[in-house]
Amino acid sequence: MSAEAERKTENLPQWKKEEVDELESLIDEYESIGIVGITGIPSKQLQDMRRGLHGTAVVRVSRNTLQVHALEDAELDDLVSHVEGQVGLVATNDNPFTLYKELEASKTPAPINEGEVAPNDIVIPEGDTGVDPGPFVGELQGIGANARIEDGSIQVMEDSTVLAAGEEVSADLSNVLNELGIEPKEVGLDLRAVVADGVLFDPEDLDIDVEAYQSDVQTAAARARNLSVNASFPTATTAPTLIAKATGEAKSLGLQAAIEDEALMPDLVSKADAQLRALAAQIDDEEALPEELQGVEAPAAEPAADEGEDEDESADDQEDAEADADADDADDDDEDDGDGAEGLGAMFG
């Protein structure tokens, strides 16, 4: 408490000092302290709201001057400017975003009275009013609603905006809205500001779409992770992925270079076996092959889809030509190297 605030409190009557002390105890007990407007809330409804917040937040109503004393003593000067009109203190251990959401959820629809300012556009919806034909149709038309008598009742022919936000409600409009049961305003604790961990939050700061915010954070985190991986920047999150990526690339390099490493041997053997079988499938003379490779057939070529008969024939001709060329090469090799069976036998043991 500052010296000036202490001096102001000392000049208060005893009962006011006790009230300020209670408010200060409330402020010290909770992590988040805010100011809520209570204008227009009936006493019974205010009590219901306070009970509804039990376990989440505490609302304390006192004289504005005493609230200011308590806030100044607690060095919460940022909240002092919001103590205006009918207000109270709200205290909670929840974060300000949760508090704002709870207070908004506690608001309920209420009728609007003559002389009040419309918080939003007031619209009389299209449809049957349920009111029998009579003077009421004139009252509707008098406030700007497109209404007439049809099928034995008063009908509103289209959605009719009868008052814009920020305009004052007339007696005629208030009476019509009450007759129709339209409650165009919400009554509840209006959070004006809240301080948590020394930071002041206005309602505009707290009115966010939580799901959209979470989605944005998740998207940003995923993009940051991808950037870290692509830039090979190791973090606690990306290190396992970077290690797995490096392991895969090292294995691929080792297979391509045929490096005789213990970890690569199974894959190298499988690769060599596949190459051997592909080569054996190209040899027409089965007697030239070891017994385990005899009867190996080359995989059938997949026909090109939707290429037309000419392209299929061209592809077949090309394959036949390549097969003939391979056969000729094999014959030439046999002639040059001697008996092919003996050569391959020596190769395969």
Side-chain angles (χ1 to χ4, degrees):
M1 180 188 301
S2 66
E4 182 179 357
E6 186 174 0
R7 185 169 60 254
K8 289 181 180 179
T9 305
E10 287 178 353
N11 295 329
L12 295 175
Q14 183 61 32
W15 72 269
K16 290 186 177 181
K17 287 183 180 179
E18 293 175 356
E19 176 71 9
V20 171
D21 288 341
E22 292 182 11
L23 293 175
E24 287 183 24
S25 297
L26 181 70
I27 292 172
D28 292 338
E29 184 179 351
Y30 291 90
E31 297 178 2
S32 299
I33 303 297
I35 304 295
V36 289
I38 59 174
T39 302
I41 304 178
S43 177
K44 182 180 182 305
Q45 193 169 358
L46 178 59
Q47 294 302 322
D48 291 341
M49 291 178 182
R50 293 169 76 170
R51 282 193 292 269
L53 292 171
H54 180 70
T56 300
V58 176
V59 177
R60 179 68 181 268
V61 178
S62 183
R63 291 189 179 186
N64 286 9
T65 53
L66 301 183
Q67 293 184 59
V68 169
H69 277 298
L71 292 172
E72 289 178 342
D73 290 349
E75 298 183 356
L76 296 178
D77 295 337
D78 289 338
L79 292 177
V80 171
S81 61
H82 296 279
V83 182
E84 185 178 359
Q86 295 181 323
V87 298
L89 292 180
V90 61
T92 182
N93 286 324
D94 286 336
N95 63 69
F97 296 93
T98 301
L99 175 64
Y100 177 83
K101 187 176 180 179
E102 290 285 343
L103 294 180
E104 289 298 304
S106 69
K107 292 183 177 180
T108 57
I112 196 165
N113 300 316
E114 175 187 358
E116 292 188 61
V117 174
N120 41 54
D121 291 350
I122 297 179
V123 178
I124 296 180
E126 175 185 353
D128 190 348
T129 64
V131 180
D132 294 333
F136 188 63
V137 67
E139 296 179 24
L140 281 167
Q141 293 171 347
I143 62 170
N146 182 6
R148 66 185 182 205
I149 298 173
E150 273 194 4
D151 300 327
S153 66
I154 299 176
Q155 306 271 347
V156 177
M157 308 311 298
E158 60 183 358
D159 289 351
S160 302
T161 301
V162 294
L163 193 69
E167 295 182 349
E168 187 175 311
V169 177
S170 66
D172 291 340
L173 177 57
S174 178
N175 291 335
V176 168
L177 295 175
N178 288 333
E179 179 70 23
L180 295 175
I182 296 176
E183 298 177 328
K185 71 175 184 179
E186 285 187 327
V187 174
L189 298 170
D190 183 22
L191 185 63
R192 297 189 177 181
V194 59
V195 170
D197 295 327
V199 180
L200 177 68
F201 294 90
D202 293 322
E204 294 78 12
D205 301 325
L206 306 174
D207 186 14
I208 64 173
D209 186 334
V210 176
E211 291 183 359
Y213 187 81
Q214 289 176 336
S215 177
D216 290 343
V217 171
Q218 290 171 351
T219 300
R223 290 175 177 173
R225 183 177 182 276
N226 288 340
L227 176 61
S228 178
V229 170
N230 291 330
S232 298
F233 184 82
T235 67
T237 302
T238 61
T241 302
L242 289 172
I243 292 173
K245 180 182 177 184
T247 301
E249 292 174 348
K251 181 178 180 180
S252 177
L253 177 61
L255 290 175
Q256 293 296 326
I259 297 174
E260 296 180 3
D261 181 84
E262 181 179 356
L264 296 178
M265 290 308 297
D267 292 312
L268 287 172
V269 170
S270 297
K271 179 181 178 182
D273 181 71
Q275 292 173 337
L276 177 62
R277 291 178 179 275
L279 176 61
Q282 300 296 322
I283 297 177
D284 294 334
D285 185 4
E286 289 191 356
E287 297 299 327
L289 298 174
E291 183 177 351
E292 64 269 17
L293 293 178
Q294 293 180 7
V296 174
E297 297 181 358
E302 296 183 1
D306 300 328
E307 294 294 332
E309 295 181 357
D310 293 340
E311 293 183 5
D312 289 342
E313 293 176 358
S314 175
D316 291 341
D317 293 341
Q318 182 177 355
E319 290 177 4
D320 292 341
E322 292 175 353
D324 292 341
D326 291 340
D328 292 339
D329 290 341
D331 292 341
D332 292 342
D333 291 340
D334 289 345
E335 293 176 358
D336 292 340
D337 296 337
D339 190 346
E342 294 178 0
L344 285 175
M347 179 187 298
F348 297 127

